[in-house]
Amino acid sequence: MRKPATRPTLPTRRSDNDKRRLHPSPDGVALGQLASRAVYNGISKHKAEPLKFGLLPYTGRRGDESLCDQHAVFDLGDWRTISELLTEGIRAGLIGKVEAQGVPTMLWTVSDQGWIFEARVTNVGLADYHGYPVRASESIAEQVYSRFRDWVGTQAGDADRRAVVNCRALYGFSDD
C-alpha cells in the first residue's frame, strides 16, 4: 500500500466554530432521502485556480479558507467523484444540524486519499452544497474520522477501509 502524500501547510483557521457538530443520531430513512437529492456545486472561493473547474475567478478577499486544489491537491479528475463522496458521507451519517426541510447545514466526507472534506449548504431548498478540506487542527476532524471509521467497520468495502487508513495517517489520528 502506498503512503499518503505529505499534507501541505494549510492557513491557520481564525476560530474553530463550536456549531460544527455531528448529528448525534441521524435517521437512516432521512439519510437515504437526502442522499438521493443532495448535489454538489463548487464555488471559486475554495479553489486556487477556479478556471480549471469551470468556475469564475474569485474576486473577494481570501481569509483563512482552505483550497481544494492547492491544499488537498484535488484535481479535475477528483471533481468528477464529488457526488459519490457526498453520497458516501451522507450514508455514513456524517451530517450536522438538520434544517426544517430535512437538509443538514453541514456534512462531511472522507476521500480515498484520506482527506476530510466539509460541505456547507448553499441552497437549502435544493439540498445544494459546496465544500473544502478540513484541517487536522479542527476539532470536527477527529469526530468525523471516528464516525467514518466505525461505519466502515460495519458497512463498507475495501476502498473505504483504505480511506480510513489514509485518513489516520494524513491527519495523525490514533485508534487507541
Side-chain angles (χ1 to χ4, degrees):
M1 185 180 327
R2 249 179 9 162
K3 181 179 177 183
T6 303
R7 182 179 178 97
T9 303
L10 293 170
T12 304
R13 185 173 297 279
R14 288 188 295 267
S15 69
D16 197 10
N17 187 341
D18 195 37
K19 295 177 185 176
R20 294 164 68 205
R21 293 192 182 140
L22 287 168
H23 189 290
S25 56
D27 174 81
V29 173
L31 290 175
Q33 292 169 344
L34 176 63
S36 70
R37 65 184 279 241
V39 295
Y40 172 84
N41 283 300
I43 60 173
S44 58
K45 183 177 184 177
H46 293 287
K47 310 289 179 288
E49 297 183 53
L51 293 174
K52 285 185 177 180
F53 299 92
L55 301 169
L56 295 173
Y58 181 65
T59 57
R61 185 184 84 64
R62 286 203 200 279
D64 61 358
E65 289 82 13
S66 53
L67 306 174
C68 298
D69 52 340
Q70 183 178 29
H71 300 128
V73 196
F74 208 77
D75 66 21
L76 195 55
D78 299 317
W79 184 259
R80 294 182 183 97
T81 65
I82 293 175
S83 294
E84 295 167 16
L85 285 171
L86 195 66
T87 300
E88 179 100 338
I90 294 167
R91 286 185 22 234
L94 303 177
I95 66 167
K97 178 183 172 191
V98 178
E99 293 292 318
Q101 297 93 330
V103 175
T105 54
M106 292 178 222
L107 54 92
W108 296 267
T109 192
V110 180
S111 73
D112 292 348
Q113 295 77 22
W115 284 97
I116 297 171
F117 287 92
E118 179 173 282
R120 287 191 182 238
V121 70
T122 306
N123 183 320
V124 173
L126 298 175
D128 181 17
Y129 290 87
H130 72 279
Y132 41 84
V134 173
R135 296 161 176 83
S137 62
E138 296 176 70
S139 62
I140 193 65
E142 192 159 9
Q143 297 167 42
V144 168
Y145 165 75
S146 294
R147 183 172 289 179
F148 184 70
R149 180 200 61 217
D150 294 349
W151 177 78
V152 165
T154 62
Q155 311 251 342
D158 291 341
D160 293 316
R161 283 190 266 288
R162 284 190 300 274
V164 167
V165 170
N166 290 339
C167 185
R168 182 176 48 241
L170 191 63
Y171 283 79
F173 298 135
S174 67
D175 286 336
D176 295 337

